[in-house]
Amino acid sequence: MPFPCPCCGFLTLPAPAQDAAAFICPVCFWENDVFTASGDEPSDENRGLSLLEGRANFQAFGACCREMLPHVRPPRPEERRESGGP
């Protein structure tokens, strides 16, 4: 059973976010950081970007940051989120 990415909300994580350390979402390229305590805390795994910034970037242009645009792909049908996402 897949789990939602904390950044884009698509069902790409192989385990719940708290157990998917360092997993990189292929849809938004967010590297899951289990060591941050809040959405506005800078993430070492994501070059100091906070989760809130990554979410805003994904909504604006389709990746957690512009440098990762070449690495993302569209979500597969089975990865579609049921609601509006994070």
Side-chain angles (χ1 to χ4, degrees):
M1 168 187 245
F3 295 87
C5 169
C7 183
C8 68
F10 289 102
L11 304 176
T12 59
L13 296 185
Q18 68 270 15
D19 298 328
F23 182 84
I24 297 175
C25 175
V27 174
C28 68
F29 225 72
W30 179 259
E31 184 171 349
N32 191 48
D33 186 350
V34 298
F35 301 106
T36 55
S38 67
D40 60 352
E41 183 179 341
S43 167
D44 290 338
E45 279 78 6
N46 293 284
R47 300 180 185 170
L49 194 69
S50 74
L51 179 56
L52 295 177
E53 291 169 320
R55 287 176 180 167
N57 290 344
F58 181 75
Q59 290 298 315
F61 50 81
C64 66
C65 66
R66 288 200 187 275
E67 294 82 10
M68 299 305 146
L69 276 170
H71 306 289
V72 300
R73 64 162 172 78
R76 296 178 177 141
E78 66 273 12
E79 295 169 337
R80 294 278 178 196
R81 50 190 171 187
E82 293 181 15
S83 63

